[in-house]
Amino acid sequence: MDFENILLEKSSPLATLTVNRPKVLNALNRKTIEELECAFFDLKSDDSIAAIVVTGGGPKAFIAGADISEIAAYDATSGTAFARRGQSVLDLIENMGKPVIAAINGYALGGGLEIAMACHLRIASENAKMGQPEINLGVIPGFGGTQRLARLVGEGRAMELVLLGDQIPAEEAHRIGLVNKVVPADQLMEAARELATRLAAKGGLTVSYAMQAVHGGLQVPLAEGLRLEANLFGLCCATEDKTEGTKAFLEKRKPEFVNR
Ligand code: CO8
């Protein structure tokens, strides 16, 4: 696949996807959104890939948001359409069925933070800065930021970030639960790949059921979420990986999962 604005490297069982427009701090124009969709569709159906790391090209930014030169030209119809387009790509990331880790190597603003929030885990470098600055442009987040941010950090903090549009440093993002871990900049990719490797060594089917249970449960009332969990637990019990996992424990050895 030939991409203009992203780099996709596969080294089974991991893939690394880099948004690569460093001159504009990796801002998401329409073409980049289309390429991301294409790459994530490919990664979803590629059985040799068990975990994915997403990062930004260049030394300054993960992604500094949607491309403001394009936003400037939107009217009500095209603005809504582009927001829905971006949302569908972020839904694709969230529903990959395999873990996606955001390695936040600098500015993650607006649509950039929204992509990071659609990922399942987030590691930030010490110099990273995050925020939803759309309010300063006379718009609001449009790629799911008002929804995922409140779910991740709670309504009060989400309101503060969305209404003030301030950038917060990595340590603060960690303190409020927006990122899972903060590491020195020169260790970021190593830390993200180490985490991805650990995830890839688990049973892939079990990982996907666990993600469905956590994510799906958040969309519905508790009783329904518990039913979803029990049903997915039942599905786990029908897998070879459950047979292997429990047998390996009882035989005091490491399990060898086969993703079935
Ligand atoms: N879009 C387009 N160009 C950008 C963007 C962006 N989001 N961010 C930076 N750039 C460009 C700059 O214009 C500059 O270009 P040039 O060299 O040609 O002047 C280059 O990248 C480098 O940027 P700066 O010189 O500004 O670098 P600084 O280190 O001085 O500042 C900042 C870095 C603080 C990150 C600053 O660039 C900035 O504030 N960027 C904009 C951040 C922002 O507001 N992001 C939110 C965008 S809106 C959004 O994401 C909405 C998502 C949902 C959309 C729904 C669609 C309808």
Side-chain angles (χ1 to χ4, degrees), residues 26-114:
N26 307 318
L28 301 168
N29 60 358
R30 175 169 287 277
K31 175 126 182 78
T32 310
I33 291 285
E34 279 163 12
E35 291 186 356
L36 283 171
E37 183 174 53
C38 185
F40 276 108
F41 267 127
D42 171 68
L43 292 168
K44 187 171 185 171
S45 60
D46 187 337
D47 290 339
S48 74
I49 299 300
I52 299 147
V53 175
V54 179
T55 194
K60 270 178 83 171
F62 174 70
I63 298 166
D67 194 314
I68 297 170
S69 64
E70 287 188 357
I71 295 179
Y74 284 137
D75 60 17
T77 309
S78 53
T80 305
F82 188 56
R84 293 299 281 168
R85 182 91 173 85
Q87 286 175 1
S88 75
V89 177
L90 271 59
D91 284 352
L92 172 66
I93 297 174
E94 197 164 51
N95 295 302
M96 285 290 285
K98 41 186 104 176
V100 185
I101 299 164
I104 304 173
N105 57 317
Y107 291 110
L109 301 173
L113 181 56
E114 289 169 308

Side-chain angles (χ1 to χ4, degrees), residues 18-213:
T18 306
V19 178
N20 196 35
R21 299 181 78 210
K23 282 191 180 146
V24 286
L25 307 186
N26 307 318
L28 301 168
N29 60 358
R30 175 169 287 277
K31 175 126 182 78
T32 310
I33 291 285
E34 279 163 12
E35 291 186 356
L36 283 171
E37 183 174 53
C38 185
F40 276 108
F41 267 127
D42 171 68
L43 292 168
K44 187 171 185 171
S45 60
D46 187 337
D47 290 339
S48 74
I49 299 300
I52 299 147
V53 175
V54 179
T55 194
K60 270 178 83 171
F62 174 70
I63 298 166
D67 194 314
I68 297 170
S69 64
E70 287 188 357
I71 295 179
Y74 284 137
D75 60 17
T77 309
S78 53
T80 305
F82 188 56
R84 293 299 281 168
R85 182 91 173 85
Q87 286 175 1
S88 75
V89 177
L90 271 59
D91 284 352
L92 172 66
I93 297 174
E94 197 164 51
N95 295 302
M96 285 290 285
K98 41 186 104 176
V100 185
I101 299 164
I104 304 173
N105 57 317
Y107 291 110
L109 301 173
L113 181 56
E114 289 169 308
I115 287 204
M117 290 191 292
C119 296
H120 304 101
L121 294 167
R122 284 155 291 282
I123 304 187
S125 60
E126 280 169 350
N127 63 330
K129 293 215 169 98
M130 280 153 263
Q132 297 287 168
E134 288 90 340
I135 198 100
N136 301 322
L137 300 168
V139 291
I140 66 170
F143 290 166
T146 59
Q147 305 306 301
R148 290 196 177 92
L149 187 59
R151 282 166 172 78
L152 267 172
V153 303
E155 186 179 345
R157 288 194 170 111
M159 278 292 184
E160 191 178 350
L161 285 165
V162 169
L163 294 183
L164 291 173
D166 289 340
Q167 295 173 15
I168 57 169
E171 274 309 335
E172 173 70 357
H174 185 238
R175 195 183 66 78
I176 66 174
L178 184 53
V179 299
N180 299 84
K181 196 173 178 180
V182 179
V183 297
D186 61 356
Q187 291 167 28
L188 178 67
M189 289 312 288
E190 190 189 331
R193 290 206 177 100
E194 195 180 299
L195 182 58
T197 303
R198 284 187 61 200
L199 290 163
K202 312 275 179 200
L205 203 51
T206 322
V207 166
S208 80
Y209 291 156
M211 293 196 302
Q212 266 184 62

